[in-house]
Amino acid sequence: MAGILFIISAPSGSGKSTLVSELRKQLSGVDFAVSWTTRTPRGSEENGREYHFTTREEFERMIAEGKFLEYAEVFGHLYGTSCTSLDEARAAGHDLILDIDVQGAAHVRAKMPEAISIFVLPPNPKVLRTRLRNRSRAEGVVNESELYRRLSEASKEIENYRQYGYILVNDILDRAVAQLEAIVLSERFYRNGETIAYRSRRVLEVAAACLQANSQERLKPVLEAFGINGDSSQQQLPFGDEPDDD
Ligand code: ADP
Ligand code: 5GP
């Protein structure tokens, strides 16, 4: 059975790593492509688990050798998905999840239009800021300029949501995990004819509701909170000086 390629993108801090890790606890046969990056490890990150950490020199050598399916510069560092990740998942007949930014997603979609793409949105800018700050605190490093950089990129990244087939709003974690699981199960059902043993109709309904085409009403308040589809001057407001929720 051929595996399905899933691309998941989101503004930094939206919770996509958390969602992918929860999904993999629930479902077997889903591999995660460990990317290569030139950024340094954060908190408890381990080489080979969250990322393969490397130097810019080595990364550039790998580019020249054609080792990457895609790569991009994000927040001043290089990030890339190795072709090996895809080859290994294919050989095992597993699905593969790529956690990549909007530029990388566009490259992969151009090469592999059959890929299923999912965009994760935080419910609003204030929650995003709180999550980013809490994560930094938990990692023991609160770098205000890095935090600001990631927040100010968020609205620009969100503007690309239309390029994605499915949209998740990661508000209540359990619900977002269930939606992600439903998307994977329903794609397996449609692509591979895999049976969904129980609650099948419900799973298909949950996934269908996450299709971008069916999400306009649900997304409206979230997009407006990020100043998208509205007055662009509002883009400054969300990250103002209001206190965090914590
Ligand atoms: P990303 O991979 O998108 O950068 P993370 O998965 O690292 O984001 O999540 C950022 C922070 O938000 C982490 O501290 C994580 O525990 C927290 N988080 C993720 N999803 C939720 C959620 N639904 N509710 C509350 N906190 C969340
Ligand atoms: P972080 O530094 O927070 O782990 O990731 C920063 C951004 O880089 C996120 O948007 C993440 O999706 C993206 N990213 C991680 N790995 C890759 C990759 O292999 N390719 C691309 N294009 N982006 C990646």
mmCIF file with all atom_site columns, all heavy atoms in Angstrom, residues 90-113:
data_model
loop_
_atom_site.group_PDB
_atom_site.id
_atom_site.type_symbol
_atom_site.label_atom_id
_atom_site.label_alt_id
_atom_site.label_comp_id
_atom_site.label_asym_id
_atom_site.label_entity_id
_atom_site.label_seq_id
_atom_site.pdbx_PDB_ins_code
_atom_site.Cartn_x
_atom_site.Cartn_y
_atom_site.Cartn_z
_atom_site.occupancy
_atom_site.B_iso_or_equiv
_atom_site.pdbx_formal_charge
_atom_site.auth_seq_id
_atom_site.auth_comp_id
_atom_site.auth_asym_id
_atom_site.auth_atom_id
_atom_site.pdbx_PDB_model_num
ATOM 1   N N   . ARG A 1 90  ? 8.338  5.501  1.953  1.00 0.00 ? 90  ARG A N   1
ATOM 2   C CA  . ARG A 1 90  ? 7.783  4.784  0.790  1.00 0.00 ? 90  ARG A CA  1
ATOM 3   C C   . ARG A 1 90  ? 8.111  3.304  0.884  1.00 0.00 ? 90  ARG A C   1
ATOM 4   O O   . ARG A 1 90  ? 7.248  2.454  0.649  1.00 0.00 ? 90  ARG A O   1
ATOM 5   C CB  . ARG A 1 90  ? 8.391  5.329  -0.498 1.00 0.00 ? 90  ARG A CB  1
ATOM 6   C CG  . ARG A 1 90  ? 7.636  6.535  -0.994 1.00 0.00 ? 90  ARG A CG  1
ATOM 7   C CD  . ARG A 1 90  ? 8.136  6.905  -2.366 1.00 0.00 ? 90  ARG A CD  1
ATOM 8   N NE  . ARG A 1 90  ? 7.387  8.021  -2.902 1.00 0.00 ? 90  ARG A NE  1
ATOM 9   C CZ  . ARG A 1 90  ? 7.883  8.917  -3.725 1.00 0.00 ? 90  ARG A CZ  1
ATOM 10  N NH1 . ARG A 1 90  ? 9.141  8.844  -4.109 1.00 0.00 ? 90  ARG A NH1 1
ATOM 11  N NH2 . ARG A 1 90  ? 7.131  9.885  -4.180 1.00 0.00 ? 90  ARG A NH2 1
ATOM 12  N N   . ALA A 1 91  ? 9.377  3.012  1.226  1.00 0.00 ? 91  ALA A N   1
ATOM 13  C CA  . ALA A 1 91  ? 9.808  1.607  1.295  1.00 0.00 ? 91  ALA A CA  1
ATOM 14  C C   . ALA A 1 91  ? 8.998  0.858  2.354  1.00 0.00 ? 91  ALA A C   1
ATOM 15  O O   . ALA A 1 91  ? 8.683  -0.320 2.177  1.00 0.00 ? 91  ALA A O   1
ATOM 16  C CB  . ALA A 1 91  ? 11.297 1.536  1.601  1.00 0.00 ? 91  ALA A CB  1
ATOM 17  N N   . ALA A 1 92  ? 8.649  1.560  3.451  1.00 0.00 ? 92  ALA A N   1
ATOM 18  C CA  . ALA A 1 92  ? 7.895  0.913  4.537  1.00 0.00 ? 92  ALA A CA  1
ATOM 19  C C   . ALA A 1 92  ? 6.386  0.931  4.267  1.00 0.00 ? 92  ALA A C   1
ATOM 20  O O   . ALA A 1 92  ? 5.616  0.317  5.008  1.00 0.00 ? 92  ALA A O   1
ATOM 21  C CB  . ALA A 1 92  ? 8.195  1.627  5.853  1.00 0.00 ? 92  ALA A CB  1
ATOM 22  N N   . GLY A 1 93  ? 5.960  1.656  3.229  1.00 0.00 ? 93  GLY A N   1
ATOM 23  C CA  . GLY A 1 93  ? 4.522  1.782  2.944  1.00 0.00 ? 93  GLY A CA  1
ATOM 24  C C   . GLY A 1 93  ? 3.812  2.643  3.974  1.00 0.00 ? 93  GLY A C   1
ATOM 25  O O   . GLY A 1 93  ? 2.603  2.513  4.192  1.00 0.00 ? 93  GLY A O   1
ATOM 26  N N   . HIS A 1 94  ? 4.579  3.524  4.634  1.00 0.00 ? 94  HIS A N   1
ATOM 27  C CA  . HIS A 1 94  ? 3.991  4.375  5.674  1.00 0.00 ? 94  HIS A CA  1
ATOM 28  C C   . HIS A 1 94  ? 3.588  5.735  5.112  1.00 0.00 ? 94  HIS A C   1
ATOM 29  O O   . HIS A 1 94  ? 4.136  6.193  4.112  1.00 0.00 ? 94  HIS A O   1
ATOM 30  C CB  . HIS A 1 94  ? 5.016  4.619  6.790  1.00 0.00 ? 94  HIS A CB  1
ATOM 31  C CG  . HIS A 1 94  ? 5.256  3.424  7.645  1.00 0.00 ? 94  HIS A CG  1
ATOM 32  N ND1 . HIS A 1 94  ? 6.224  3.384  8.613  1.00 0.00 ? 94  HIS A ND1 1
ATOM 33  C CD2 . HIS A 1 94  ? 4.645  2.213  7.693  1.00 0.00 ? 94  HIS A CD2 1
ATOM 34  C CE1 . HIS A 1 94  ? 6.205  2.204  9.210  1.00 0.00 ? 94  HIS A CE1 1
ATOM 35  N NE2 . HIS A 1 94  ? 5.257  1.472  8.663  1.00 0.00 ? 94  HIS A NE2 1
ATOM 36  N N   . ASP A 1 95  ? 2.664  6.380  5.808  1.00 0.00 ? 95  ASP A N   1
ATOM 37  C CA  . ASP A 1 95  ? 2.378  7.782  5.528  1.00 0.00 ? 95  ASP A CA  1
ATOM 38  C C   . ASP A 1 95  ? 3.554  8.592  6.081  1.00 0.00 ? 95  ASP A C   1
ATOM 39  O O   . ASP A 1 95  ? 4.249  8.145  6.996  1.00 0.00 ? 95  ASP A O   1
ATOM 40  C CB  . ASP A 1 95  ? 1.099  8.233  6.248  1.00 0.00 ? 95  ASP A CB  1
ATOM 41  C CG  . ASP A 1 95  ? -0.129 7.476  5.765  1.00 0.00 ? 95  ASP A CG  1
ATOM 42  O OD1 . ASP A 1 95  ? -0.114 7.005  4.615  1.00 0.00 ? 95  ASP A OD1 1
ATOM 43  O OD2 . ASP A 1 95  ? -1.084 7.350  6.553  1.00 0.00 ? 95  ASP A OD2 1
ATOM 44  N N   . LEU A 1 96  ? 3.730  9.792  5.529  1.00 0.00 ? 96  LEU A N   1
ATOM 45  C CA  . LEU A 1 96  ? 4.831  10.636 6.003  1.00 0.00 ? 96  LEU A CA  1
ATOM 46  C C   . LEU A 1 96  ? 4.310  12.042 6.247  1.00 0.00 ? 96  LEU A C   1
ATOM 47  O O   . LEU A 1 96  ? 3.597  12.602 5.408  1.00 0.00 ? 96  LEU A O   1
ATOM 48  C CB  . LEU A 1 96  ? 5.956  10.668 4.958  1.00 0.00 ? 96  LEU A CB  1
ATOM 49  C CG  . LEU A 1 96  ? 7.188  11.486 5.348  1.00 0.00 ? 96  LEU A CG  1
ATOM 50  C CD1 . LEU A 1 96  ? 7.936  10.843 6.524  1.00 0.00 ? 96  LEU A CD1 1
ATOM 51  C CD2 . LEU A 1 96  ? 8.147  11.651 4.156  1.00 0.00 ? 96  LEU A CD2 1
ATOM 52  N N   . ILE A 1 97  ? 4.679  12.597 7.407  1.00 0.00 ? 97  ILE A N   1
ATOM 53  C CA  . ILE A 1 97  ? 4.291  13.989 7.704  1.00 0.00 ? 97  ILE A CA  1
ATOM 54  C C   . ILE A 1 97  ? 5.511  14.896 7.602  1.00 0.00 ? 97  ILE A C   1
ATOM 55  O O   . ILE A 1 97  ? 6.549  14.617 8.212  1.00 0.00 ? 97  ILE A O   1
ATOM 56  C CB  . ILE A 1 97  ? 3.687  14.119 9.117  1.00 0.00 ? 97  ILE A CB  1
ATOM 57  C CG1 . ILE A 1 97  ? 2.439  13.266 9.233  1.00 0.00 ? 97  ILE A CG1 1
ATOM 58  C CG2 . ILE A 1 97  ? 3.374  15.585 9.440  1.00 0.00 ? 97  ILE A CG2 1
ATOM 59  C CD1 . ILE A 1 97  ? 1.620  13.532 10.470 1.00 0.00 ? 97  ILE A CD1 1
ATOM 60  N N   . LEU A 1 98  ? 5.380  15.960 6.826  1.00 0.00 ? 98  LEU A N   1
ATOM 61  C CA  . LEU A 1 98  ? 6.422  16.990 6.759  1.00 0.00 ? 98  LEU A CA  1
ATOM 62  C C   . LEU A 1 98  ? 5.924  18.206 7.520  1.00 0.00 ? 98  LEU A C   1
ATOM 63  O O   . LEU A 1 98  ? 4.856  18.731 7.196  1.00 0.00 ? 98  LEU A O   1
ATOM 64  C CB  . LEU A 1 98  ? 6.691  17.421 5.313  1.00 0.00 ? 98  LEU A CB  1
ATOM 65  C CG  . LEU A 1 98  ? 6.929  16.364 4.250  1.00 0.00 ? 98  LEU A CG  1
ATOM 66  C CD1 . LEU A 1 98  ? 7.256  17.045 2.910  1.00 0.00 ? 98  LEU A CD1 1
ATOM 67  C CD2 . LEU A 1 98  ? 8.053  15.432 4.647  1.00 0.00 ? 98  LEU A CD2 1
ATOM 68  N N   . ASP A 1 99  ? 6.676  18.629 8.523  1.00 0.00 ? 99  ASP A N   1
ATOM 69  C CA  . ASP A 1 99  ? 6.363  19.873 9.238  1.00 0.00 ? 99  ASP A CA  1
ATOM 70  C C   . ASP A 1 99  ? 7.271  20.931 8.628  1.00 0.00 ? 99  ASP A C   1
ATOM 71  O O   . ASP A 1 99  ? 8.456  21.010 8.974  1.00 0.00 ? 99  ASP A O   1
ATOM 72  C CB  . ASP A 1 99  ? 6.633  19.646 10.736 1.00 0.00 ? 99  ASP A CB  1
ATOM 73  C CG  . ASP A 1 99  ? 6.678  20.930 11.557 1.00 0.00 ? 99  ASP A CG  1
ATOM 74  O OD1 . ASP A 1 99  ? 6.693  22.030 10.988 1.00 0.00 ? 99  ASP A OD1 1
ATOM 75  O OD2 . ASP A 1 99  ? 6.709  20.809 12.800 1.00 0.00 ? 99  ASP A OD2 1
ATOM 76  N N   . ILE A 1 100 ? 6.744  21.678 7.667  1.00 0.00 ? 100 ILE A N   1
ATOM 77  C CA  . ILE A 1 100 ? 7.593  22.615 6.921  1.00 0.00 ? 100 ILE A CA  1
ATOM 78  C C   . ILE A 1 100 ? 6.889  23.958 6.755  1.00 0.00 ? 100 ILE A C   1
ATOM 79  O O   . ILE A 1 100 ? 5.671  24.048 6.894  1.00 0.00 ? 100 ILE A O   1
ATOM 80  C CB  . ILE A 1 100 ? 8.002  22.047 5.536  1.00 0.00 ? 100 ILE A CB  1
ATOM 81  C CG1 . ILE A 1 100 ? 6.785  21.682 4.689  1.00 0.00 ? 100 ILE A CG1 1
ATOM 82  C CG2 . ILE A 1 100 ? 8.902  20.831 5.704  1.00 0.00 ? 100 ILE A CG2 1
ATOM 83  C CD1 . ILE A 1 100 ? 7.133  21.148 3.304  1.00 0.00 ? 100 ILE A CD1 1
ATOM 84  N N   . ASP A 1 101 ? 7.667  24.987 6.452  1.00 0.00 ? 101 ASP A N   1
ATOM 85  C CA  . ASP A 1 101 ? 7.083  26.321 6.350  1.00 0.00 ? 101 ASP A CA  1
ATOM 86  C C   . ASP A 1 101 ? 6.358  26.495 5.004  1.00 0.00 ? 101 ASP A C   1
ATOM 87  O O   . ASP A 1 101 ? 6.380  25.586 4.167  1.00 0.00 ? 101 ASP A O   1
ATOM 88  C CB  . ASP A 1 101 ? 8.179  27.394 6.538  1.00 0.00 ? 101 ASP A CB  1
ATOM 89  C CG  . ASP A 1 101 ? 8.910  27.662 5.255  1.00 0.00 ? 101 ASP A CG  1
ATOM 90  O OD1 . ASP A 1 101 ? 9.280  26.697 4.563  1.00 0.00 ? 101 ASP A OD1 1
ATOM 91  O OD2 . ASP A 1 101 ? 9.099  28.848 4.911  1.00 0.00 ? 101 ASP A OD2 1
ATOM 92  N N   . VAL A 1 102 ? 5.761  27.656 4.817  1.00 0.00 ? 102 VAL A N   1
ATOM 93  C CA  . VAL A 1 102 ? 4.935  27.876 3.621  1.00 0.00 ? 102 VAL A CA  1
ATOM 94  C C   . VAL A 1 102 ? 5.748  27.833 2.314  1.00 0.00 ? 102 VAL A C   1
ATOM 95  O O   . VAL A 1 102 ? 5.256  27.373 1.290  1.00 0.00 ? 102 VAL A O   1
ATOM 96  C CB  . VAL A 1 102 ? 4.125  29.196 3.721  1.00 0.00 ? 102 VAL A CB  1
ATOM 97  C CG1 . VAL A 1 102 ? 3.086  29.111 4.820  1.00 0.00 ? 102 VAL A CG1 1
ATOM 98  C CG2 . VAL A 1 102 ? 5.012  30.394 3.937  1.00 0.00 ? 102 VAL A CG2 1
ATOM 99  N N   . GLN A 1 103 ? 7.015  28.253 2.366  1.00 0.00 ? 103 GLN A N   1
ATOM 100 C CA  . GLN A 1 103 ? 7.856  28.194 1.156  1.00 0.00 ? 103 GLN A CA  1
ATOM 101 C C   . GLN A 1 103 ? 8.138  26.741 0.787  1.00 0.00 ? 103 GLN A C   1
ATOM 102 O O   . GLN A 1 103 ? 8.006  26.334 -0.374 1.00 0.00 ? 103 GLN A O   1
ATOM 103 C CB  . GLN A 1 103 ? 9.208  28.868 1.394  1.00 0.00 ? 103 GLN A CB  1
ATOM 104 C CG  . GLN A 1 103 ? 9.181  30.257 1.944  1.00 0.00 ? 103 GLN A CG  1
ATOM 105 C CD  . GLN A 1 103 ? 10.574 30.659 2.435  1.00 0.00 ? 103 GLN A CD  1
ATOM 106 O OE1 . GLN A 1 103 ? 11.463 30.934 1.626  1.00 0.00 ? 103 GLN A OE1 1
ATOM 107 N NE2 . GLN A 1 103 ? 10.792 30.678 3.738  1.00 0.00 ? 103 GLN A NE2 1
ATOM 108 N N   . GLY A 1 104 ? 8.526  25.950 1.796  1.00 0.00 ? 104 GLY A N   1
ATOM 109 C CA  . GLY A 1 104 ? 8.813  24.526 1.565  1.00 0.00 ? 104 GLY A CA  1
ATOM 110 C C   . GLY A 1 104 ? 7.576  23.799 1.068  1.00 0.00 ? 104 GLY A C   1
ATOM 111 O O   . GLY A 1 104 ? 7.646  22.946 0.170  1.00 0.00 ? 104 GLY A O   1
ATOM 112 N N   . ALA A 1 105 ? 6.425  24.161 1.634  1.00 0.00 ? 105 ALA A N   1
ATOM 113 C CA  . ALA A 1 105 ? 5.168  23.506 1.232  1.00 0.00 ? 105 ALA A CA  1
ATOM 114 C C   . ALA A 1 105 ? 4.887  23.776 -0.244 1.00 0.00 ? 105 ALA A C   1
ATOM 115 O O   . ALA A 1 105 ? 4.475  22.885 -0.985 1.00 0.00 ? 105 ALA A O   1
ATOM 116 C CB  . ALA A 1 105 ? 4.023  24.020 2.104  1.00 0.00 ? 105 ALA A CB  1
ATOM 117 N N   . ALA A 1 106 ? 5.158  25.013 -0.687 1.00 0.00 ? 106 ALA A N   1
ATOM 118 C CA  . ALA A 1 106 ? 4.916  25.352 -2.100 1.00 0.00 ? 106 ALA A CA  1
ATOM 119 C C   . ALA A 1 106 ? 5.837  24.526 -3.005 1.00 0.00 ? 106 ALA A C   1
ATOM 120 O O   . ALA A 1 106 ? 5.417  24.030 -4.051 1.00 0.00 ? 106 ALA A O   1
ATOM 121 C CB  . ALA A 1 106 ? 5.140  26.844 -2.319 1.00 0.00 ? 106 ALA A CB  1
ATOM 122 N N   . HIS A 1 107 ? 7.093  24.338 -2.576 1.00 0.00 ? 107 HIS A N   1
ATOM 123 C CA  . HIS A 1 107 ? 8.029  23.527 -3.378 1.00 0.00 ? 107 HIS A CA  1
ATOM 124 C C   . HIS A 1 107 ? 7.556  22.085 -3.481 1.00 0.00 ? 107 HIS A C   1
ATOM 125 O O   . HIS A 1 107 ? 7.576  21.486 -4.550 1.00 0.00 ? 107 HIS A O   1
ATOM 126 C CB  . HIS A 1 107 ? 9.437  23.530 -2.742 1.00 0.00 ? 107 HIS A CB  1
ATOM 127 C CG  . HIS A 1 107 ? 10.125 24.846 -2.846 1.00 0.00 ? 107 HIS A CG  1
ATOM 128 N ND1 . HIS A 1 107 ? 10.875 25.377 -1.821 1.00 0.00 ? 107 HIS A ND1 1
ATOM 129 C CD2 . HIS A 1 107 ? 10.165 25.751 -3.843 1.00 0.00 ? 107 HIS A CD2 1
ATOM 130 C CE1 . HIS A 1 107 ? 11.347 26.549 -2.203 1.00 0.00 ? 107 HIS A CE1 1
ATOM 131 N NE2 . HIS A 1 107 ? 10.930 26.802 -3.414 1.00 0.00 ? 107 HIS A NE2 1
ATOM 132 N N   . VAL A 1 108 ? 7.135  21.526 -2.344 1.00 0.00 ? 108 VAL A N   1
ATOM 133 C CA  . VAL A 1 108 ? 6.720  20.111 -2.352 1.00 0.00 ? 108 VAL A CA  1
ATOM 134 C C   . VAL A 1 108 ? 5.449  19.943 -3.182 1.00 0.00 ? 108 VAL A C   1
ATOM 135 O O   . VAL A 1 108 ? 5.339  19.007 -3.980 1.00 0.00 ? 108 VAL A O   1
ATOM 136 C CB  . VAL A 1 108 ? 6.510  19.580 -0.906 1.00 0.00 ? 108 VAL A CB  1
ATOM 137 C CG1 . VAL A 1 108 ? 5.970  18.159 -0.928 1.00 0.00 ? 108 VAL A CG1 1
ATOM 138 C CG2 . VAL A 1 108 ? 7.813  19.629 -0.133 1.00 0.00 ? 108 VAL A CG2 1
ATOM 139 N N   . ARG A 1 109 ? 4.508  20.878 -3.030 1.00 0.00 ? 109 ARG A N   1
ATOM 140 C CA  . ARG A 1 109 ? 3.261  20.771 -3.807 1.00 0.00 ? 109 ARG A CA  1
ATOM 141 C C   . ARG A 1 109 ? 3.541  20.809 -5.305 1.00 0.00 ? 109 ARG A C   1
ATOM 142 O O   . ARG A 1 109 ? 2.926  20.101 -6.086 1.00 0.00 ? 109 ARG A O   1
ATOM 143 C CB  . ARG A 1 109 ? 2.318  21.913 -3.445 1.00 0.00 ? 109 ARG A CB  1
ATOM 144 C CG  . ARG A 1 109 ? 1.223  21.508 -2.466 1.00 0.00 ? 109 ARG A CG  1
ATOM 145 C CD  . ARG A 1 109 ? 0.139  22.569 -2.431 1.00 0.00 ? 109 ARG A CD  1
ATOM 146 N NE  . ARG A 1 109 ? 0.698  23.868 -2.130 1.00 0.00 ? 109 ARG A NE  1
ATOM 147 C CZ  . ARG A 1 109 ? 0.767  24.386 -0.906 1.00 0.00 ? 109 ARG A CZ  1
ATOM 148 N NH1 . ARG A 1 109 ? 0.296  23.713 0.102  1.00 0.00 ? 109 ARG A NH1 1
ATOM 149 N NH2 . ARG A 1 109 ? 1.292  25.572 -0.703 1.00 0.00 ? 109 ARG A NH2 1
ATOM 150 N N   . ALA A 1 110 ? 4.527  21.645 -5.710 1.00 0.00 ? 110 ALA A N   1
ATOM 151 C CA  . ALA A 1 110 ? 4.857  21.738 -7.135 1.00 0.00 ? 110 ALA A CA  1
ATOM 152 C C   . ALA A 1 110 ? 5.423  20.406 -7.638 1.00 0.00 ? 110 ALA A C   1
ATOM 153 O O   . ALA A 1 110 ? 5.134  19.986 -8.749 1.00 0.00 ? 110 ALA A O   1
ATOM 154 C CB  . ALA A 1 110 ? 5.853  22.865 -7.362 1.00 0.00 ? 110 ALA A CB  1
ATOM 155 N N   . LYS A 1 111 ? 6.232  19.743 -6.789 1.00 0.00 ? 111 LYS A N   1
ATOM 156 C CA  . LYS A 1 111 ? 6.840  18.472 -7.199 1.00 0.00 ? 111 LYS A CA  1
ATOM 157 C C   . LYS A 1 111 ? 5.874  17.312 -7.045 1.00 0.00 ? 111 LYS A C   1
ATOM 158 O O   . LYS A 1 111 ? 5.921  16.351 -7.799 1.00 0.00 ? 111 LYS A O   1
ATOM 159 C CB  . LYS A 1 111 ? 8.061  18.175 -6.310 1.00 0.00 ? 111 LYS A CB  1
ATOM 160 C CG  . LYS A 1 111 ? 9.277  18.959 -6.633 1.00 0.00 ? 111 LYS A CG  1
ATOM 161 C CD  . LYS A 1 111 ? 10.445 18.427 -5.809 1.00 0.00 ? 111 LYS A CD  1
ATOM 162 C CE  . LYS A 1 111 ? 11.670 19.299 -6.000 1.00 0.00 ? 111 LYS A CE  1
ATOM 163 N NZ  . LYS A 1 111 ? 12.741 18.990 -5.067 1.00 0.00 ? 111 LYS A NZ  1
ATOM 164 N N   . MET A 1 112 ? 5.036  17.375 -5.998 1.00 0.00 ? 112 MET A N   1
ATOM 165 C CA  . MET A 1 112 ? 4.157  16.258 -5.673 1.00 0.00 ? 112 MET A CA  1
ATOM 166 C C   . MET A 1 112 ? 2.743  16.768 -5.407 1.00 0.00 ? 112 MET A C   1
ATOM 167 O O   . MET A 1 112 ? 2.329  16.916 -4.251 1.00 0.00 ? 112 MET A O   1
ATOM 168 C CB  . MET A 1 112 ? 4.717  15.527 -4.443 1.00 0.00 ? 112 MET A CB  1
ATOM 169 C CG  . MET A 1 112 ? 6.177  15.194 -4.650 1.00 0.00 ? 112 MET A CG  1
ATOM 170 S SD  . MET A 1 112 ? 6.954  14.557 -3.207 1.00 0.00 ? 112 MET A SD  1
ATOM 171 C CE  . MET A 1 112 ? 6.408  12.903 -3.319 1.00 0.00 ? 112 MET A CE  1
ATOM 172 N N   . PRO A 1 113 ? 1.994  17.038 -6.478 1.00 0.00 ? 113 PRO A N   1
ATOM 173 C CA  . PRO A 1 113 ? 0.668  17.641 -6.293 1.00 0.00 ? 113 PRO A CA  1
ATOM 174 C C   . PRO A 1 113 ? -0.314 16.747 -5.547 1.00 0.00 ? 113 PRO A C   1
ATOM 175 O O   . PRO A 1 113 ? -1.343 17.228 -5.073 1.00 0.00 ? 113 PRO A O   1
ATOM 176 C CB  . PRO A 1 113 ? 0.197  17.899 -7.728 1.00 0.00 ? 113 PRO A CB  1
ATOM 177 C CG  . PRO A 1 113 ? 1.193  17.307 -8.645 1.00 0.00 ? 113 PRO A CG  1
ATOM 178 C CD  . PRO A 1 113 ? 2.393  16.883 -7.884 1.00 0.00 ? 113 PRO A CD  1
#
